């Protein structure tokens, strides 16, 4: 599973891990990605989405129909 959100488009960020001696090594900041299944009443089926935790809260707020419309507007197939 790739670490990006279908709704918000959140992707990993990159930076440095800094040790006690202040040596820098590359690291990756991954978004909190979850796989979640929603019932889509307009199509009479379930959809499985790969979402960040923030996007799950957004869907709770705006509803699954509006969220799927936003995902499709970004050009992602649902």
């Amino acid at each position: 599973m790739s670490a990006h959100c279908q709704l918000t488009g959140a992707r990993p960020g990159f930076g440095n891990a800094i040790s006690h001696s202040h040596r820098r090594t590359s690291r990756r900041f991954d978004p909190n990605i979850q796989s979640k299944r929603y019932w889509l009443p307009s199509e009479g089926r379930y959809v499985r989405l790969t979402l960040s935790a923030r996007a799950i809260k957004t869907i709770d707020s705006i509803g699954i129909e509006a969220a799927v419309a936003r995902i499709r507007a970004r050009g992602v197939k649902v």
Side-chain angles (χ1 to χ4, degrees), residues 6-77:
Q6 288 181 305
L7 180 61
T8 62
R11 290 188 178 272
F14 295 91
N16 291 309
I18 302 180
S19 70
H20 179 68
S21 64
H22 219 66
R23 286 178 60 100
R24 291 174 167 89
T25 54
S26 292
R27 64 158 293 177
R28 189 170 132 143
F29 296 90
D30 286 328
N32 185 3
I33 298 294
Q34 311 291 326
S35 181
K36 194 141 168 64
R37 194 174 82 142
Y38 288 98
W39 173 252
L40 199 57
S42 64
E43 297 181 17
R45 67 182 181 105
Y46 284 97
V47 292
R48 186 169 296 278
L49 301 174
T50 306
L51 303 166
S52 62
R54 186 180 67 184
I56 291 172
K57 293 174 189 175
T58 302
I59 290 176
D60 290 343
S61 173
I62 67 172
I64 186 63
E65 297 288 343
V68 167
R70 282 189 194 180
I71 291 170
R72 287 182 174 148
R74 292 182 69 236
V76 178
K77 184 175 179 247

